[in-house]
Amino acid sequence: MYVLVLYYSRQGKTAELAKLIARGVEMEGLEAKIRTVPSVSPNTEATQASVPDSGASYFEKSDLAECAALAMGSPTRFGNMAAPLKYFLETTSDLWLSGALRGKPASVFTSTSSLHGGQESTLLTMMIPLFHHGMVLSGLPYSESALMNTTSGGTPYGASHFAGADNQRVISEEEASLAIAQGKRLAQLAKKLS
């Protein structure tokens, strides 16, 4: 039994959140499988290497079909998920048709360059395809004290990080705490629902 932590990250902050969520999953005794999606290119002749140069491995559909739960993350792009993640989701209609994700818990996370750059709208846009797959969405409850104390990222819809215009802001103590809590909560739900 494992939790798939699937993300796209261009500047590295969403990848850092993915690792914190994975830590929370593993604190609950489940395996966290961290995967990423490849970039997309406007050049129709461009191809990606089959293995990334560094970081997490690219996902395989079996990673998604066989997971007990899913944490999905993307940087914010104009208040929405990044194109590579949306492109990936648009390739999952076979999983939708088979009901492979139906009843599995899921959560979402993001990183933004500006404090009011669409953290919550990005999280909501990532939820929509997961609802269509029949997944059970989980956010962060206000019993997580960091949710009431954060002055940067962190929402009841999911973990988030305010990276700053230069993408140099480090993940705050509250943001890290919420990402770990989200991983723990997702693992707990996976155990209960499996």
Side-chain angles (χ1 to χ4, degrees), residues 4-186:
L4 177 61
V5 183
L6 180 66
Y7 70 92
Y8 173 72
S9 185
R10 191 157 160 194
Q11 302 294 327
K13 298 301 182 175
T14 307
E16 288 181 42
L17 283 177
K19 291 175 187 170
L20 289 165
I21 288 171
R23 185 187 317 165
V25 166
E26 291 171 349
M27 289 170 79
E28 289 295 320
L30 289 184
E31 176 189 356
K33 191 180 274 195
I34 301 175
R35 297 290 185 264
T36 190
V37 297
S39 296
V40 293
S41 171
N43 178 353
T44 58
E45 299 298 319
T47 59
Q48 289 284 330
S50 58
V51 177
D53 292 335
S54 62
S57 299
Y58 290 139
F59 78 97
E60 294 180 14
K61 278 202 186 167
S62 61
D63 294 329
L64 185 57
E66 297 167 11
C67 72
L70 170 67
M72 188 170 73
S74 172
T76 294
R77 296 291 184 262
F78 300 101
N80 204 327
M81 74 180 98
L85 193 62
K86 187 168 188 310
Y87 179 81
F88 152 72
L89 286 166
E90 290 177 359
T91 70
T92 63
S93 59
D94 57 331
L95 298 177
W96 174 75
L97 287 167
S98 70
L101 303 177
R102 198 174 303 139
K104 294 181 181 184
S107 65
V108 292
F109 58 99
T110 191
S111 177
T112 60
S113 293
S114 63
L115 187 55
H116 302 290
Q119 291 181 11
E120 292 179 345
S121 62
T122 299
L123 296 170
L124 291 169
T125 63
M126 287 191 290
M127 289 179 183
I128 294 168
L130 303 181
F131 279 127
H132 279 258
H133 273 288
M135 299 192 87
V136 179
L137 276 288
S138 171
L140 286 164
Y142 277 98
S143 57
E144 295 296 334
S145 61
L147 200 55
M148 293 298 286
N149 298 322
T150 184
T151 58
S152 53
T155 79
Y157 307 107
S160 64
H161 168 61
F162 167 43
D166 60 359
N167 205 48
Q168 296 302 309
R169 292 177 60 103
V170 297
I171 293 177
S172 72
E173 184 178 321
E174 291 86 5
E175 290 170 334
S177 171
L178 291 169
I180 291 168
Q182 183 168 327
K184 290 169 88 173
R185 182 173 169 83
L186 191 57

